[in-house]
Amino acid sequence: MENSNHGSDAKGKEALMSLDLDTVGRFLEDLAEKDPRIRERVEALYRSSDASALSDYLKERLDHFHALPESLGFRDLFPLARDCRAFLSDTSILMAPLDAGVALDLVDRFLDMDRVLEGLEDGGGPLQSVFGDACDLWLTLAAESGLAMDWSSRILEHFLKDRFGVRVNLLRHADILLPADQLEKLAERMVSDAEDKAMDAGGEWYRYRLAMGLRYLSQVLRDPELMARSVTLVQSEPSPRQIGDIVQAYLDYEGPEAALAWLAGDWGDRELERLDLLDKVYGAMDDREMLFQIRRERYGAQPSADYLLALLDVCDADEKEAFLASAPETARHTTSLYSGLNLLLSVNAVKEAERLLAERLDALSSYDYTAVLRIQGKFDAAGSPLGQSLCFRALVEGILDEARFRAYGKAVAYCETLEVLDSLISSYGDLPNHLQYLSWLRKTYGDKRVFWQRMDGHSAGDAEQEDWQDASDSSVFVEKRAEKQGTVQGGMGYGHDASLEVPSGRIVKKVPRETSSVPSRKVPRGTPGGIAG
């Protein structure tokens, strides 16, 4: 497809080149009459035979940009971005071949227009990428101009004037203009300037800007030590996230062994982040013995599907069997039902997952609608009609508890799905079967007249208003929710202590993070304790 499009573009260009100038001129004039933006660009094209005339015209357009009011609305930015791109294209296509120096001055002035970003949300939205392109054009024109200038100083001057983060490409792509030796000298100068400002009480912002610039230069030079220096210039004790960036730089540019020095010691409550980074480093080194130790410790600290699968990947057959055998007990002790189910289903322990869900079914009410659907999807993928059925029951009850009568159609559809799943379930164990569940549902939610009329195949009628009033009374909802949950637990065999997941008071409907507190237990191979830094 790409080759086909490329060939089509080439043929189209050839066809255009074969047209006579009179035809092209009349066609452009017709377009210009219908769109003022095209008129502006066609006017620039008409003047492209005279460098002075074209320069004056482009300066007029640039002056118009600088005359813009200081407070622009966000909607104003999209047409402004189009006009700015048109200006940069005309400068690059028409002005640069005539005089690269003049074109460079125009772009230089354009970069100073970033004052329009003052006070705007999202850093100027569509204008961000426009200024990024302008920086790249500035570097290209400077390289083509042939001017003998201290380009390193010009780049640094422009970068330090940047208050909105739109001129970073001047350093991120500085290799367009500067060779490696000049880039290294620029980095040394920036480090020296930052160190000089270390004792200056008013130089924090300046030092921070220099450090950010060094970060970009480290990427150009592929120098992880420079990346580390950019961090330590402003923070003597880097955060785990910053160390992660430094480690990634060593992995990308030098080698994993050099990264290990940054991962020594214990990070306390951030230890899992250190283990994740060590896993990445030893993975790059293909050290399976260390990977086993790290992944075992990580899985013990936070049992999760991802951590278990990663651990199994470096286990021998006996070790794999031992970890799989202990997975149900591990899942049972997780504070998050979601994590426990995900852990079991990831290793195809479907029956154990069904048992865990049945044991902690009341905890499902603490999850929001989409989270329950995700759990149902996992049981569907595992081929578990019982697990799906329990999830759909929770969805129906959630809709009825909150009297969301606009979702009653979904609740009816879920009940129909429950009937289909019922034919696939061989045993409900201690849970009510489908008919028993429907009987309980009608008894518990008999006041939801709209829902039951739809279930029985009748129109909703005036009962909708009743349910709407029921839903609007939050105190009634809380009382009924508590009453019905008590009925479920006491009357239908759903009872289980949900204190692990549902805090006292208001139910928080969100998917908990996969954190857990697992008691110490013996694991195969090796010795207990942390990975020595």
Side-chain angles (χ1 to χ4, degrees):
M1 182 62 73
E2 291 180 359
N3 292 336
S4 174
N5 290 337
H6 179 73
S8 176
D9 292 344
K11 291 180 180 178
K13 186 176 180 180
E14 291 176 4
L16 285 174
M17 295 297 290
S18 66
L19 295 175
D20 64 90
L21 292 179
D22 182 60
T23 300
V24 174
R26 285 187 288 109
F27 184 80
L28 290 175
E29 191 62 37
D30 181 65
L31 287 177
E33 289 178 359
K34 297 175 180 177
D35 190 322
R37 287 192 174 88
I38 295 179
R39 160 61 63 188
E40 199 170 51
R41 300 204 64 184
V42 170
E43 185 69 26
L45 180 63
Y46 286 165
R47 301 185 186 210
S48 61
S49 58
D50 184 338
S52 178
L54 177 60
S55 173
D56 290 341
Y57 181 62
L58 291 175
K59 287 177 181 177
E60 289 177 13
R61 287 165 63 181
L62 189 56
D63 289 339
H64 170 71
F65 292 146
H66 280 275
L68 289 170
E70 293 188 1
S71 57
L72 293 175
F74 191 78
R75 291 183 179 180
D76 299 329
L77 300 184
F78 291 92
L80 176 58
R82 287 194 296 267
D83 291 345
C84 289
R85 288 191 185 280
F87 169 81
L88 293 174
S89 294
D90 291 345
T91 302
S92 174
I93 297 172
L94 302 177
M95 190 72 248
L98 299 177
D99 193 325
V102 172
L104 178 62
D105 288 340
L106 290 169
V107 179
D108 205 270
R109 281 193 60 207
F110 178 87
L111 289 175
D112 289 333
M113 195 190 77
D114 61 1
R115 64 173 182 78
V116 300
L117 302 177
E118 186 77 54
L120 292 176
E121 296 181 359
D122 299 325
L127 286 177
Q128 282 273 354
S129 59
V130 173
F131 279 100
D133 293 342
C135 290
D136 291 342
L137 180 58
W138 188 94
L139 292 167
T140 301
L141 292 173
E144 294 175 351
S145 68
L147 298 174
M149 297 186 64
D150 183 0
W151 292 116
S152 296
S153 296
R154 289 290 302 277
I155 288 174
L156 187 56
E157 177 186 353
H158 260 303
F159 179 77
L160 291 175
K161 287 166 62 177
D162 181 16
R163 295 185 297 130
F164 307 102
V166 294
R167 305 191 194 189
V168 296
N169 279 9
L170 289 174
L171 285 174
R172 183 181 284 158
H173 301 154
D175 54 336
I176 294 175
L177 175 60
L178 301 177
D181 60 328
Q182 292 187 34
L183 289 171
E184 291 171 356
K185 289 180 180 178
L186 175 58
E188 292 171 1
R189 172 183 170 182
M190 292 170 67
V191 169
S192 177
D193 288 351
E195 290 174 340
D196 289 344
K197 291 291 182 181
M199 304 304 294
D200 187 349
E204 290 86 356
W205 184 88
Y206 185 79
R207 192 166 67 254
Y208 172 78
R209 289 298 302 162
L210 288 170
M212 288 299 297
L214 287 169
R215 182 187 181 95
Y216 299 126
L217 276 184
S218 73
Q219 296 168 357
V220 178
L221 291 168
R222 302 178 63 82
D223 185 346
E225 291 185 8
L226 187 58
M227 165 70 82
R229 194 76 184 96
S230 72
V231 173
T232 56
L233 276 172
V234 293
Q235 192 163 335
S236 58
E237 296 184 4
S239 68
R241 181 175 179 178
Q242 291 170 324
I243 292 177
D245 291 340
I246 294 171
V247 168
Q248 189 60 54
Y250 276 103
L251 291 175
D252 291 341
Y253 307 140
E254 185 170 316
E257 293 83 356
L260 289 173
W262 286 93
L263 299 174
D266 189 298
W267 289 8
D269 59 354
R270 308 291 292 272
E271 178 64 6
L272 269 178
E273 296 177 53
R274 186 180 79 95
L275 294 176
D276 286 340
L277 291 172
L278 281 171
D279 182 79
K280 184 180 292 188
V281 171
Y282 283 114
M285 295 169 63
D286 197 25
D287 188 334
R288 293 180 66 85
E289 183 63 30
M290 287 303 300
L291 282 173
F292 174 83
Q293 294 185 40
I294 290 164
R295 293 179 182 182
R296 180 191 60 189
E297 181 175 351
R298 190 174 61 174
Y299 174 63
Q302 181 175 296
S304 71
D306 290 340
Y307 284 169
L308 175 58
L309 293 175
L311 174 58
L312 295 178
D313 191 50
V314 293
C315 287
D316 60 31
D318 292 338
E319 291 163 345
K320 183 177 295 186
E321 183 179 351
F323 281 115
L324 288 174
S326 65
E329 186 64 22
T330 300
R332 191 180 303 275
H333 285 89
T334 57
T335 58
S336 165
L337 172 63
Y338 190 93
S339 297
L341 294 174
N342 201 32
L343 172 62
L344 293 172
L345 293 175
S346 69
V347 293
N348 204 33
V350 179
K351 292 299 181 183
E352 290 81 358
E354 292 173 345
R355 190 176 301 113
L356 178 63
L357 181 58
E359 290 174 355
R360 296 166 64 175
L361 191 58
D362 49 351
L364 208 56
S365 65
S366 68
Y367 291 93
D368 62 23
Y369 183 84
T370 55
V372 177
L373 276 180
R374 284 199 297 271
I375 295 173
Q376 178 271 324
K378 292 179 182 296
F379 276 108
D380 183 18
S384 168
L386 177 58
Q388 292 184 73
S389 179
L390 298 180
C391 290
F392 281 124
R393 289 182 182 186
L395 291 171
V396 171
E397 293 163 30
I399 292 172
L400 296 180
D401 279 335
E402 299 176 16
R404 290 188 282 125
F405 68 88
R406 290 189 178 88
Y408 281 176
K410 281 190 174 181
V412 172
Y414 292 152
C415 287
E416 293 171 351
T417 303
L418 287 172
E419 186 172 353
V420 174
L421 291 171
D422 179 60
S423 63
L424 304 175
I425 298 173
S426 58
S427 172
Y428 284 89
D430 295 332
L431 299 172
N433 62 30
H434 182 59
L435 291 178
Q436 291 170 331
Y437 176 74
L438 286 182
S439 176
W440 171 85
L441 197 68
R442 188 178 291 272
K443 178 181 177 181
T444 308
Y445 297 97
D447 58 329
K448 307 302 181 186
R449 294 172 56 194
V450 174
F451 170 73
W452 289 111
Q453 286 179 359
R454 292 188 180 184
M455 279 286 288
D456 297 336
H458 304 302
S459 62
D462 295 332
E464 233 173 72
Q465 183 63 27
E466 253 184 63
D467 278 354
W468 172 252
Q469 291 173 349
D470 190 25
S472 65
D473 188 343
S474 60
S475 62
V476 171
F477 160 68
V478 172
E479 291 173 4
K480 287 188 175 182
R481 177 76 166 181
E483 178 185 345
K484 287 166 185 173
Q485 282 186 334
T487 304
V488 171
Q489 294 174 7
M492 298 301 292
Y494 284 22
H496 176 76
D497 181 9
S499 61
L500 284 175
E501 298 195 49
V502 185
S504 60
R506 183 174 63 87
I507 293 174
V508 180
K509 287 184 169 293
K510 65 178 183 178
V511 183
R513 293 184 180 271
E514 293 190 354
T515 56
S516 61
S517 177
V518 184
S520 301
R521 56 190 178 279
K522 188 175 180 180
V523 292
R525 196 169 75 182
T527 56
I531 303 300

